[in-house]
């Protein structure tokens, strides 16, 4: 899927957040965020989240949410392996 999200927040080394929309607001919107928070000496907590909204979410949402979840898990695992290899 290709979309052109609107960046809502950029805080270097802490947070990146954007909002993607299908056609017009309220049809199928997806807000995504990446956060990095201190978690003790030499450690951080990485969190990513997606929030869907709009009238088409009940129709297409279940499949989209499952694909998104699998993508998050794959990205998280790849990031974990890369970081732990350092």
């Amino acid at each position: 899927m290709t979309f052109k999200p609107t960046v809502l927040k950029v805080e270097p080394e802490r947070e990146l957040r954007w909002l993607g929309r299908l056609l017009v607001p309220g049809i199928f919107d997806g807000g995504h965020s990446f956060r990095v928070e201190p978690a003790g000496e030499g450690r951080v907590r990485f969190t990513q989240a997606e929030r869907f909204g709009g009238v088409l979410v009940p129709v297409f949402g279940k499949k989209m949410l499952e694909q998104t979840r699998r993508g998050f898990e794959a990205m998280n695992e790849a990031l974990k392996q890369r970081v732990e290899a350092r």
Side-chain angles (χ1 to χ4, degrees), residues 1-70:
M1 176 183 299
T2 301
F3 64 99
K4 295 180 180 179
T6 300
V7 175
L8 302 175
K9 183 174 184 180
V10 175
E11 188 178 336
E13 300 181 17
R14 293 287 182 248
E15 183 174 7
L16 172 62
R17 187 167 17 121
W18 71 76
L19 177 64
R21 293 192 158 125
L22 179 64
L23 303 175
V24 296
I27 300 293
F28 196 102
D29 304 335
H32 194 93
S33 65
F34 297 104
R35 293 184 49 90
V36 178
E37 302 169 287
E41 185 65 34
R43 299 179 58 153
V44 298
R45 178 181 313 274
F46 172 77
T47 307
Q48 65 171 312
E50 181 94 31
R51 187 168 293 177
F52 292 107
V55 297
L56 291 182
V57 170
V59 177
F60 298 110
K62 186 173 182 177
K63 183 177 180 182
M64 176 71 70
L65 291 172
E66 179 59 25
Q67 290 173 336
T68 300
R69 183 188 62 76
R70 286 195 310 261

